[in-house]
Amino acid sequence: MQDKTKKIQVQNISYKSGGVSILEDITFDMNYGSFASIIGPNGAGKSTLIKIMLGLLKQTSGEIFYEGRTPSTVNRKHHLLGYVPQYFQFDRTLPITLEEFFRFTCHISDDNHFNDVLNTLNILKLKNHLLGKLSGGELQRTLIAYNLLHNHQIIFLDEPTSAIDMEGENLIYSILKEVNEKYNKTIIIVSHDIETILDNVDTIICLNKTLHCIGGPEALVSNGAIASLFEKKKSLYVHKGCKH
């Protein structure tokens, strides 16, 4: 079980590309075991931030720490971080089944755990289906299962429901909530699905190049700067960067 006293620390992160400022002085802490969402308008720097947190991009300034360790350290020594990209490109004509994909790419020593993970992700019945024939939602669930089978403790997802219908979207979020609770994984998701987020996550990070707010779901529905996005008001934990 993850120790929720452990922290992910994002300290003064800034990022520039081609002389253009993408992120400016982002600072926040997050507990291990959280189910969090990063939200903001297009161009807010959401995907850039998670790529920096994953160690896939090098920030212009600032530091990221996972209980005092840098992303490169936890990736190299501890395989702590997992990633589900928005789009996963592969040769869909490859004649490989879902089960073969997992057995070729993951170390599976316990078939009961393997089947339990696939059942949790609602893809156990697809074990003998060709990988290239999976729908968008089925493929996203496959990638989440891949991260669980690699025992990644912190899983980042970038707009996992962007090409999925409403039914598939609700299924993805319910599964992520179960993964967070059942397997004690930290989930950090970039999303525009505001209403669905409010019903599922415990932490919301409001981003638009700078950090505006961080807190529980109440933060979004009560923050005066974005109140027009929501229909009802709740109590708010306001970050020092929030605007009233």
Side-chain angles (χ1 to χ4, degrees):
M1 183 174 181
Q2 290 196 56
D3 182 354
K4 289 196 175 185
T5 65
K6 291 184 177 180
K7 298 283 187 180
I8 302 169
Q9 296 172 296
V10 177
Q11 299 182 349
N12 307 115
I13 291 295
S14 294
Y15 180 78
K16 292 183 178 181
S17 179
V20 177
S21 180
I22 308 298
L23 294 172
E24 300 175 2
D25 196 27
I26 307 296
T27 296
F28 62 87
D29 290 352
M30 182 189 302
N31 292 333
Y32 279 34
S34 296
F35 183 6
S37 181
I38 302 173
I39 71 157
N42 291 334
K46 303 181 296 294
S47 295
T48 298
L49 178 59
I50 65 168
K51 288 177 181 177
I52 292 171
M53 293 177 73
L54 281 158
L56 300 176
L57 279 179
K58 179 62 179 175
Q59 62 269 26
T60 304
S61 61
E63 298 288 347
I64 306 286
F65 294 109
Y66 295 90
E67 197 59 17
R69 300 170 295 188
T70 64
S72 60
T73 298
V74 297
N75 282 332
R76 184 176 67 252
K77 295 183 178 180
H78 306 281
H79 307 290
L80 185 76
L81 309 178
Y83 180 42
V84 177
Q86 185 173 0
Y87 302 108
F88 178 60
Q89 301 293 333
F90 67 100
D91 184 356
R92 286 186 172 268
T93 67
L94 193 66
I96 183 174
T97 66
L98 187 64
E99 180 168 13
E100 288 169 339
F101 166 74
F102 286 126
R103 293 196 181 276
F104 290 156
T105 59
C106 308
H107 177 66
I108 298 171
S109 58
D110 183 342
D111 281 347
N112 289 330
H113 175 65
F114 173 60
N115 288 328
D116 180 68
V117 168
L118 267 58
N119 187 56
T120 299
L121 273 295
N122 200 25
I123 54 174
L124 182 61
K125 61 188 177 184
L126 303 176
K127 283 172 66 172
N128 296 318
H129 287 222
L130 290 174
L131 191 66
K133 298 296 185 180
L134 298 181
S135 69
E138 291 166 347
L139 186 58
Q140 288 292 72
R141 284 181 271 138
T142 295
L143 295 177
I144 297 168
Y146 172 89
N147 280 276
L148 290 178
L149 291 169
H150 278 271
N151 200 31
H152 296 310
Q153 297 301 304
I154 301 170
I155 303 174
F156 293 83
L157 303 98
D158 192 356
E159 295 281 3
T161 62
S162 61
I164 300 173
D165 61 23
M166 182 63 70
E167 182 179 356
E169 175 185 312
N170 290 333
L171 178 60
I172 288 286
Y173 275 98
S174 66
I175 285 172
L176 287 173
K177 193 169 186 176
E178 183 174 0
V179 166
N180 170 248
E181 295 171 352
K182 179 177 180 178
Y183 296 106
N184 300 303
K185 303 299 184 183
T186 304
I187 306 292
I188 302 173
I189 180 171
V190 169
S191 182
H192 284 100
D193 305 319
I194 304 299
E195 293 300 325
T196 310
I197 285 168
L198 294 173
D199 292 334
N200 289 281
V201 306
D202 56 58
T203 303
I204 295 175
I205 299 160
C206 304
L207 190 70
N208 190 5
K209 295 190 178 181
T210 61
L211 181 67
H212 285 267
C213 296
I214 180 170
E218 299 84 2
L220 284 183
V221 297
S222 300
N223 183 358
I226 53 174
S228 62
L229 294 175
F230 304 97
E231 296 180 352
K232 57 184 178 180
K233 306 234 179 210
K234 299 179 182 178
S235 59
L236 169 69
Y237 161 66
V238 181
H239 183 271
K240 65 181 180 181
C242 285
K243 294 181 171 55
H244 298 275

